[in-house]
Amino acid sequence: MKAVEMRNQDKLNEEQLAQELLEKFDTESNFRQLGGIMKWVVYCILLAFSLFQLYTAIFGAFTAYIQRSIHLGFALTIIFLLFPPRKKGLKTRIAFYDYILALIAAICGIYWTLNYERLVTSLGTINQLDFIVGGLVILLVLEAARRTVGLPIVVIAILFLLYAIFGPYMPNFLAHRGQSLEQLVNLMYFSTDGILGTPISVSATYIFAFLLFGAFLVKTGVGEYFNDLAISVAGKLVGGPAKVAVFSSALQGTISGSSVANVVTSGVYTIPMMKRLGYKREFAGAVEAAASTGGQIMPPIMGAAAFLMVEFIGRGVTYWDIAKSAAIPAILYFTGIWIMTHFEAKKLGLRGLTDEELPNRKEVFKKLYLLTPLVLIIIIMMMGIPVIHAALYGILACIVVGFLNKDVKFGLREIIDALADGARTALGVAAATACAGIIVGVVVKTGLGLSLASGLVEIAGGNVLLTLFLVMIASLILGMGAPTTANYIITSTIAAPAIVALLAPDVPLSAVPVVTILSAHFFVFYFGIIADITPPVALAAFTATAISGGEPIKTGIHSAKLAIAAFIIPYMIIFSPQLLMIDVTVMEVLWVLLTAIMGMIAIGAGVIGFWYRRINWIERIILIVAGLLMVYPESLSDIIGLAIFGIMFAIQWFTKNKGEHKMEMAKNR
């Protein structure tokens, strides 16, 4: 009885720590904890938001302007009621000015519905009231994004707005004829090229449906089950806790598109476990941060930006195509982290978990039915059923599984709570996509995207590698201040066209192969994501240090080192699009996968400094070179890399006893 009470107390402490960390590092989780009547008013608005989205998902969306403006109106209204203007602002009640802002947001949200016929027949002209409403919406979107996502994306959006107005005064290739305030407001709220453009469209359909699905999964107890399953599978292996972190974070990534949320969810459990078994604080935090960040590239449910990719690429590409194409890169990413944690554990002589520290495996595997919603979604998407319907079927499966799982309380109240929770998690995405719509609108209207793409190619002198390197740096810098969704929107609009132009020179865009466009978009998508673990602003790594007690920059460096595959894979995708599994044979895919995994083994050993024994600096450099040769998708480099790999393997194998003898002597001393 006492043991049960202790476990319950530990669980309570973990949940409390998780909430504190989310509020500190994840802006989207820094919302008010209201009481009294306003708690239920906001709850009902959240519920109404979800019900509106479910209705349109089941019976079909309204016209673009109405669907998107109502979605935005709901999001803005709730944001001003739930999120304080300052991070340390009052969390228990709503300031009077936020009531005013929420009311204005609600009126602006239904403005299109009330004036639809006049606005669509006005031939792009607006009256004075339209101008005022449109201007208010721009300001509300900027403030809502600041509260939920952070200041950097707002600063970027304001700079783009200023660029739209002061275009004639810009130097050389950046100059354009400029936009008046009326033209700018018209573009931003009374066309589908600005705030009500493609980004908010995806938020109002696919993204919301899958966030709702994720909320239902959490209520069914799947999140906790992921940890138990990971421990059962990987706990007894060498350095088990680190591998548990990799495995559980990969699973958590299927229901969470946030690196920070993923770190907190599984890190409060895995990081202390790694420290107990001997991992250094910085390394323990880095393992969790690197693995959690990879959750956004983990099919079948990736980060929100993956849904945007479908719309941005077009050309008949479906979300299933994106998820399928992401499968091998995701395998390589997590394989790389797994390999390096293994070598680090071997180097430190760390053990796995004992039978006493493991959950009852028989009981854990009895609950594999909890994965049914995820499996069902994969099958449905493979059958070609629309993605939004796949999410709806997934939600129904969650409800069934919830009733079957006797370890959690699941009933009508939990279903209603899941609807409200799903709406709340959608607020940050709605604000980010609306704010990013401002940027996209300016880029499209002014031709800035083409100008910057041409300028980027010119700076790189037409060199593909140099262009890719510059795009990588730009994506990482943007990722330090903007969420992945906004980062992808900006880079796919500005940088991806430059990559396409270099990969398919003198070819009209309509004639460029889909795989080429997909490769370019995956490139910017990946680097936008790994900004979360790239110092100096490595948000996921810094979150992990709050749990591990390690030094933030050191943790960031370790996490970037562990996720080295993420810095290599995008280049592999560009030069070897077979990784995306489009128009390739099974043998081609297997060969690329085999050489890439062997390359990751060599690179991992070189980076960690251990294989079958400790490795000196010369051997480390040789192994890293061999790994890069195998990773590079070209037959000659593969053969040379494999030859070096074989020689180094033989040397390691025949001298491992010598290394073990030295380690034993060191321990005895």
Side-chain angles (χ1 to χ4, degrees):
M1 188 71 179
K2 197 170 182 179
V4 173
E5 288 176 0
M6 287 178 65
R7 279 198 299 271
N8 289 337
Q9 185 60 46
D10 288 343
K11 184 178 177 182
L12 191 63
N13 292 338
E14 287 171 7
E15 289 174 354
Q16 188 176 354
L17 175 61
Q19 186 57 41
E20 289 173 0
L21 292 175
L22 281 171
E23 289 179 9
K24 182 178 180 181
F25 291 100
D26 187 11
T27 314
E28 294 178 38
S29 300
N30 189 41
F31 52 83
R32 292 175 171 126
Q33 304 295 330
L34 300 173
I37 190 169
M38 282 313 299
K39 172 184 176 181
W40 295 107
V41 169
V42 173
Y43 185 88
C44 289
I45 299 173
L46 285 166
L47 193 57
F49 191 11
S50 276
L51 292 174
F52 166 76
Q53 293 292 155
L54 275 178
Y55 176 85
T56 57
I58 296 168
F59 298 105
F62 295 110
T63 60
Y65 288 114
I66 292 178
Q67 175 77 18
R68 299 171 194 181
S69 61
I70 292 177
H71 175 82
L72 180 63
F74 263 121
L76 293 178
T77 301
I78 300 169
I79 285 169
F80 291 118
L81 293 175
L82 267 185
F83 289 82
R86 295 182 306 278
K87 199 168 186 179
K88 294 183 180 179
L90 194 61
K91 296 283 186 66
T92 55
R93 64 181 178 85
I94 302 170
F96 76 93
Y97 49 80
D98 279 338
Y99 283 113
I100 297 171
L101 290 174
L103 180 61
I104 295 171
I107 293 169
C108 290
I110 62 171
Y111 190 78
W112 256 105
T113 304
L114 298 175
N115 298 275
Y116 181 73
E117 287 189 16
R118 177 180 65 81
L119 289 170
V120 296
T121 57
S122 63
L123 302 176
T125 59
I126 58 174
N127 60 34
Q128 190 172 8
L129 182 59
D130 297 335
F131 176 76
I132 293 171
V133 170
L136 285 172
V137 169
I138 294 172
L139 295 175
L140 290 171
V141 164
L142 292 173
E143 174 59 11
R146 186 190 70 81
R147 294 190 186 196
T148 57
V149 183
L151 187 60
I153 187 177
V154 176
V155 172
I156 295 170
I158 291 172
L159 290 175
F160 272 79
L161 287 171
L162 292 173
Y163 171 75
I165 296 170
F166 297 105
Y169 308 102
M170 292 291 146
N172 300 326
F173 71 95
L174 290 177
H176 62 92
R177 66 180 184 179
Q179 300 283 307
S180 67
L181 278 175
E182 185 177 329
Q183 288 173 323
L184 195 57
V185 169
N186 195 354
L187 170 71
M188 288 302 152
Y189 196 57
F190 298 100
S191 78
T192 53
D193 289 327
I195 291 172
L196 300 182
T198 300
I200 198 77
S201 168
V202 179
S203 173
T205 50
Y206 311 124
I207 295 176
F208 194 99
F210 274 92
L211 288 174
L212 206 53
F213 170 68
F216 273 89
L217 270 181
V218 171
K219 290 295 179 185
T220 61
V222 170
E224 289 183 23
Y225 179 68
F226 282 158
N227 283 337
D228 289 340
L229 182 61
I231 295 171
S232 299
V233 172
K236 291 194 74 171
L237 301 176
V238 173
K243 291 172 181 174
V244 168
V246 176
F247 192 14
S248 65
S249 294
L251 291 171
Q252 289 285 356
T254 62
I255 62 173
S256 169
S258 166
S259 303
V260 171
N262 205 347
V263 168
V264 171
T265 302
S266 52
V268 292
Y269 181 73
T270 59
I271 291 174
M273 191 162 52
M274 282 188 267
K275 287 170 63 181
R276 281 199 301 271
L277 263 70
Y279 280 104
K280 293 180 181 176
R281 293 177 299 177
E282 287 79 12
F283 192 85
V287 170
E288 184 57 56
S292 293
T293 300
Q296 293 189 68
I297 60 171
M298 186 67 185
I301 306 168
M302 301 159 65
F307 294 94
L308 287 163
M309 199 183 296
V310 177
E311 298 297 319
F312 276 45
I313 293 175
R315 305 282 289 275
V317 172
T318 65
Y319 178 75
W320 173 245
D321 293 326
I322 302 294
K324 183 178 69 174
S325 297
I328 291 179
I331 290 169
L332 292 177
Y333 179 87
F334 284 104
T335 299
I337 299 174
W338 184 285
I339 287 166
M340 283 196 265
T341 56
H342 175 78
F343 288 147
E344 180 74 11
K346 293 284 284 184
K347 184 170 75 172
L348 298 175
L350 303 182
R351 65 173 177 86
L353 298 174
T354 63
D355 288 330
E356 290 73 25
E357 294 170 308
L358 293 172
N360 187 316
R361 287 188 176 187
K362 189 176 178 181
E363 292 300 316
V364 170
F365 289 121
K366 272 184 182 179
K367 294 182 183 175
L368 280 173
Y369 66 87
L370 289 174
L371 302 181
T372 302
L374 289 170
V375 175
L376 180 65
I377 275 189
I378 296 172
I379 294 170
I380 288 172
M381 287 195 295
M382 287 176 68
M383 291 168 62
I385 293 173
V387 176
I388 198 162
H389 292 161
L392 292 175
Y393 286 123
I395 290 170
L396 289 174
C398 286
I399 293 172
V400 173
V401 166
F403 283 120
L404 292 174
N405 186 7
K406 301 304 179 186
D407 290 340
V408 295
K409 183 184 176 184
F410 192 86
L412 182 60
R413 176 60 189 271
E414 283 66 38
I415 292 173
I416 296 173
D417 283 346
L419 290 170
D421 290 345
R424 188 169 59 242
T425 58
L427 298 177
V429 176
T433 51
C435 195
I438 293 174
I439 298 165
V440 174
V442 173
V443 169
V444 172
K445 190 68 176 178
T446 61
L448 178 64
L450 183 61
S451 299
L452 288 178
S454 302
L456 193 62
V457 173
E458 189 177 332
I459 291 170
N463 184 287
V464 176
L465 270 175
L466 183 54
T467 301
L468 293 176
F469 179 77
L470 292 173
V471 172
M472 176 187 77
I473 298 300
S475 299
L476 289 173
I477 291 171
L478 278 170
M480 292 175 189
T484 305
T485 308
N487 185 339
Y488 168 72
I489 291 170
I490 299 167
T491 53
S492 64
T493 306
I494 295 172
I499 300 174
V500 173
L502 278 175
L503 295 179
D506 304 320
V507 178
L509 186 60
S510 59
V512 175
V514 171
V515 69
T516 302
I517 299 174
L518 196 58
S519 300
H521 281 259
F522 259 101
F523 188 89
V524 298
F525 175 57
Y526 255 74
F527 281 116
I529 287 170
I530 59 174
D532 279 350
I533 51 171
T534 307
V537 185
L539 202 54
F542 291 175
T543 305
T545 62
I547 304 172
S548 68
E551 203 279 315
I553 294 297
K554 282 185 181 179
T555 303
I557 292 170
H558 275 301
S559 62
K561 186 170 70 173
L562 283 170
I564 193 169
F567 292 90
I568 298 170
I569 291 168
Y571 289 91
M572 289 176 64
I573 290 171
I574 294 293
F575 294 109
S576 180
Q578 297 99 315
L579 285 174
L580 301 180
M581 292 196 287
I582 296 177
D583 299 328
V584 291
T585 65
V586 174
M587 289 307 297
E588 285 176 326
V589 171
L590 289 176
W591 175 253
V592 170
L593 188 59
L594 175 65
T595 54
I597 289 175
M598 293 180 74
M600 291 312 305
I601 293 172
I603 291 169
V607 169
I608 297 299
F610 192 93
W611 195 351
Y612 286 100
R613 59 168 173 77
R614 289 185 179 271
I615 306 171
N616 61 45
W617 277 104
I618 296 174
E619 291 174 313
R620 292 174 76 168
I621 292 169
I622 292 171
L623 278 169
I624 291 172
V625 170
L628 291 173
L629 285 170
M630 285 185 283
V631 163
Y632 185 75
E634 198 268 329
S635 299
L636 181 60
S637 67
D638 284 344
I639 293 169
I640 296 172
L642 284 168
I644 299 173
F645 182 86
I647 292 168
M648 294 303 295
F649 173 79
I651 293 171
Q652 284 283 308
W653 181 261
F654 289 113
T655 59
K656 65 176 183 177
N657 291 332
K658 183 180 177 182
E660 289 171 359
H661 179 65
K662 283 185 178 179
M663 288 175 68
E664 191 63 37
M665 288 180 64
K667 283 181 183 178
N668 291 334
R669 283 201 299 271

